[in-house]
C-alpha cells in the first residue's frame, strides 16, 4: 500500500561531495553538498544561490569536487552548520549556522595542490575531481534560490587503493565506499546485490 505524502525534501540517497572553491581574498572555501549527478565527463551540481560556494563558482569558474568515503563522515558533519559567507544570511542564523573562515581546519582536513585549477584538493578524500564551470541556470521558483551548475571534469585523482588491481584505470566498486546522504542522514553502501549486464558490455 502506498500513501501520497508531501516530504519537505527529496534527498533520496546520493554521494556527498566536498566542494572546494576560491574566495575573493585568495583563501579557500570548503562546503558539503550532495545534489550532484554525472554524465560522461560532465557533473551537474544543485546549489543554493545564497551560499559562499555559489558566489565563488560564479566568479572564479573553478572547483574541486572531493568525494569522501564513509571514513570521513565526522569531518563532513563538522562542516554541516557552517558557511564561508560573512555575514551569515539571516535564514542560516535562524538555523544555527555560523561563519567559519578556515573550513579545512574546522573539519580536520588538509589541502593538496590541484593540477589544473586554483582550489586545492582535500587530501583525505579518495576521489578528487578538478572541474571548470560551463554554465549556470536558475532552478525552481525564484524564492527557491537554487541553481544548477554544469561543470566539466578536467582531471580525475583516485586513491590507488580503490583501483582494480588488473585494469588500473578502473575503480573497483568493491573498494569504493562513498558517503551517502539519505533524507539528511549519513549512510554507506552495502555489498553488490546482483550481477550487472551493463558492466559486462562496457
Ligand atoms: C551532507 C550535506 C549535504 C548538503 N547538500 C547540499 C546541496 O546539495 N546543495 C546545497 O546548496 N547545500 C547543501 N548542503 C548545505 C550546505 O553545505 C550549506 O548551505 C553550507 O552553508 C554551504 O556553505 P558555503 O556557504 O560556505 O558555500 C549540504 C550540507 C550537508 C552537511
Amino acid at each position: 500500500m502506498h500513501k501520497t505524502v508531501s516530504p519537505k525534501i527529496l534527498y533520496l540517497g546520493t554521494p556527498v561531495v566536498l566542494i572546494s572553491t576560491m574566495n575573493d581574498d585568495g583563501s579557500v572555501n570548503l562546503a558539503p553538498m550532495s545534489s550532484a549527478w554525472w554524465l560522461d565527463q560532465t557533473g551537474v551540481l544543485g546549489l543554493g544561490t545564497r551560499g559562499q560556494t555559489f558566489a565563488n563558482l560564479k566568479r572564479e569558474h573553478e572547483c574541486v569536487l572531493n568525494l569522501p568515503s564513509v571514513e570521513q563522515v565526522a569531518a563532513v558533519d563538522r562542516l554541516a552548520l557552517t558557511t564561508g559567507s560573512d555575514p551569515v544570511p539571516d535564514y542560516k542564523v535562524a538555523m544555527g549556522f555560523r561563519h567559519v573562515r578556515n573550513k579545512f581546519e574546522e573539519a580536520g582536513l588538509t589541502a593538496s595542490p590541484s593540477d589544473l585549477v586554483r582550489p586545492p584538493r582535500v587530501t583525505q578524500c579518495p576521489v578528487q575531481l578538478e572541474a571548470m564551470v560551463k554554465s549556470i541556470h536558475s532552478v525552481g521558483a525564484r524564492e527557491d534560490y537554487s541553481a544548477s551548475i554544469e561543470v566539466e571534469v578536467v582531471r580525475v585523482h583516485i586513491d590507488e587503493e580503490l583501483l582494480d588491481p588488473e585494469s588500473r584505470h578502473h575503480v573497483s566498486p568493491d573498494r569504493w565506499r562513498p558517503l551517502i546522504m539519505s533524507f539528511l542522514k549519513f549512510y554507506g553502501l552495502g555489498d553488490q546485490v546482483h550481477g550487472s549486464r551493463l558492466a559486462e558490455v562496457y
Side-chain angles (χ1 to χ4, degrees), residues 65-68 122 125-129 156-159 162 171 176:
L65 305 168
N66 305 275
L67 278 80
V122 176
C125 286
V127 175
Q128 305 153 345
L129 309 173
V156 177
H157 306 260
I158 306 283
D159 182 338
L162 302 188
V171 175
W176 171 219

Side-chain angles (χ1 to χ4, degrees), residues 9-83:
I9 46 128
L10 287 170
Y11 282 5
L12 294 156
T14 42
V16 173
V17 179
L18 283 177
I19 177 165
S20 41
T21 53
M22 299 306 295
N23 294 319
D24 60 1
D25 65 359
S27 61
V28 180
N29 193 46
L30 185 66
M33 55 94 57
S34 61
S35 302
W37 57 268
W38 318 91
L39 195 62
D40 199 5
Q41 302 304 304
T42 294
V44 180
L45 315 172
L47 281 178
T49 57
R50 293 177 288 182
Q52 186 66 27
T53 300
F54 181 77
N56 289 350
L57 285 172
K58 205 171 157 192
R59 190 185 58 253
E60 305 279 334
H61 305 119
E62 292 183 340
C63 60
V64 181
L65 305 168
N66 305 275
L67 278 80
S69 80
V70 287
E71 286 175 28
Q72 285 91 45
V73 63
V76 172
D77 197 43
R78 281 195 284 271
L79 294 178
L81 296 180
T82 68
T83 173

Side-chain angles (χ1 to χ4, degrees), residues 175-201:
R175 296 170 173 224
W176 171 219
R177 293 289 159 212
L179 176 62
I180 302 292
M181 164 154 278
S182 179
F183 290 97
L184 297 177
K185 297 188 178 167
F186 294 115
Y187 289 85
L189 291 182
D191 293 334
Q192 186 177 5
V193 293
H194 199 281
S196 166
R197 293 177 202 193
L198 192 62
E200 279 166 27
V201 297

Side-chain angles (χ1 to χ4, degrees), residues 27-169:
S27 61
V28 180
N29 193 46
L30 185 66
M33 55 94 57
S34 61
S35 302
W37 57 268
W38 318 91
L39 195 62
D40 199 5
Q41 302 304 304
T42 294
V44 180
L45 315 172
L47 281 178
T49 57
R50 293 177 288 182
Q52 186 66 27
T53 300
F54 181 77
N56 289 350
L57 285 172
K58 205 171 157 192
R59 190 185 58 253
E60 305 279 334
H61 305 119
E62 292 183 340
C63 60
V64 181
L65 305 168
N66 305 275
L67 278 80
S69 80
V70 287
E71 286 175 28
Q72 285 91 45
V73 63
V76 172
D77 197 43
R78 281 195 284 271
L79 294 178
L81 296 180
T82 68
T83 173
S85 300
D86 185 16
V88 179
D90 287 347
Y91 79 99
K92 278 192 176 168
V93 172
M95 293 166 76
F97 278 66
R98 63 198 163 85
H99 167 69
V100 171
R101 189 176 150 75
N102 190 338
K103 303 263 202 90
F104 278 84
E105 193 178 77
E106 180 78 16
L109 297 168
T110 53
S112 302
S114 295
D115 291 345
L116 303 175
V117 298
R118 280 215 301 152
R121 298 176 281 143
V122 176
T123 315
Q124 290 79 3
C125 286
V127 175
Q128 305 153 345
L129 309 173
E130 298 184 28
M132 313 275 289
V133 173
K134 291 288 147 188
S135 65
I136 300 180
H137 301 276
S138 65
V139 164
R142 216 176 134 83
E143 57 273 21
D144 291 345
Y145 297 100
S146 298
S148 73
I149 296 137
E150 183 185 324
V151 300
E152 181 190 351
V153 174
V154 292
R155 181 137 299 174
V156 177
H157 306 260
I158 306 283
D159 182 338
E160 59 183 339
E161 297 289 318
L162 302 188
L163 296 177
D164 189 314
E166 271 149 40
S167 75
R168 303 290 291 166
H169 278 280

